[in-house]
């Protein structure tokens, strides 16, 4: 056993004609050749990993934005109202205008409008505001999730509602 003030024991010097005994770490270092910082294969592997991570991140970001942007077309398709008079998707799927039938005008059946509102997960409070709007109230507005809506109602012309996707942070 050695103390901090003593030198560790040294190997005896080899006799003439003998090969010196090396420590395993010294032999491995000698066999590996000159010390390198990173091999080409390591750099290539790191580059591939970085590229895959970047592509995956961009794909996930795109997936999130597509989920928002195609909510209106998906709702229209789920309700089967793509060709219904009074229901029009606009702004490349970012908005929808719906006009229900009134006493003096034609338009979409109210059940079709209600189906789209349900598919867009319109909150109960906004649905209640839409249902209680009178002609005297003028144009009303409401927001939920990633949507903003404005609507008006008159018994002669029915419900006129516009819903659009708004950017969320």
């Amino acid at each position: 056993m050695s103390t901090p003030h003593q030198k560790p024991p040294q190997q005896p010097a080899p006799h003439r004609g003998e090969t010196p005994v090396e420590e395993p770490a010294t032999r491995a270092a000698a066999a590996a050749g000159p010390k390198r910082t990173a091999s080409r294969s390591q750099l290539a592997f790191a580059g591939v990993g970085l590229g895959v991570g970047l592509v995956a991140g961009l794909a996930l970001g795109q997936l999130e934005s597509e989920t928002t942007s195609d909510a209106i077309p998906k709702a229209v398709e789920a309700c089967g109202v793509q060709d219904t008079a009074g229901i029009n998707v606009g702004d490349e799927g970012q908005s929808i205008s719906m006009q229900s039938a009134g006493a003096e005008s034609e338009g979409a059946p109210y059940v079709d409008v209600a189906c789209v509102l349900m598919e867009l997960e319109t909150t109960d409070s906004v649905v209640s505001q839409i249902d209680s709007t009178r002609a005297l109230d003028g144009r009303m507005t409401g927001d939920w999730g990633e949507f903003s809506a404005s609507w008006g109602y008159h018994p002669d012309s029915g419900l006129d509602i516009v819903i659009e996707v708004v950017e969320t942070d």
Side-chain angles (χ1 to χ4, degrees), residues 8-143:
Q10 292 190 354
Q11 301 244 343
H15 293 290
R16 192 173 270 202
E18 288 184 8
T19 306
V21 177
E22 296 178 355
E23 295 297 316
T26 307
R27 279 188 298 229
K35 189 174 181 179
R36 295 184 192 173
T37 55
S39 71
R40 287 185 183 178
S41 63
Q42 289 172 326
L43 291 174
F45 184 74
V48 168
L50 179 63
V52 167
L54 181 62
V55 168
L58 290 172
L60 288 174
Q62 183 66 24
L63 179 63
E64 183 178 321
S65 69
E66 284 179 12
T67 303
T68 300
S69 68
D70 61 358
I72 290 174
K74 283 184 176 181
V76 169
E77 185 177 341
C79 294
V81 296
Q82 299 92 324
D83 299 320
T84 301
I87 297 181
N88 300 300
V89 175
D91 299 315
E92 298 178 359
Q94 300 296 296
S95 69
I96 185 169
S97 302
M98 297 185 285
Q99 177 72 47
S100 71
E104 297 178 5
S105 66
E106 294 184 17
Y110 192 75
V111 295
D112 290 346
V113 174
C115 179
V116 172
L117 291 172
M118 186 174 70
E119 286 294 321
L120 294 177
E121 299 178 357
T122 309
T123 61
D124 293 339
S125 63
V126 171
V127 170
S128 181
Q129 290 174 39
I130 293 168
D131 287 344
S132 63
T133 301
R134 307 166 302 155
L136 297 172
D137 294 332
R139 199 91 181 143
M140 306 293 290
T141 61
D143 301 311

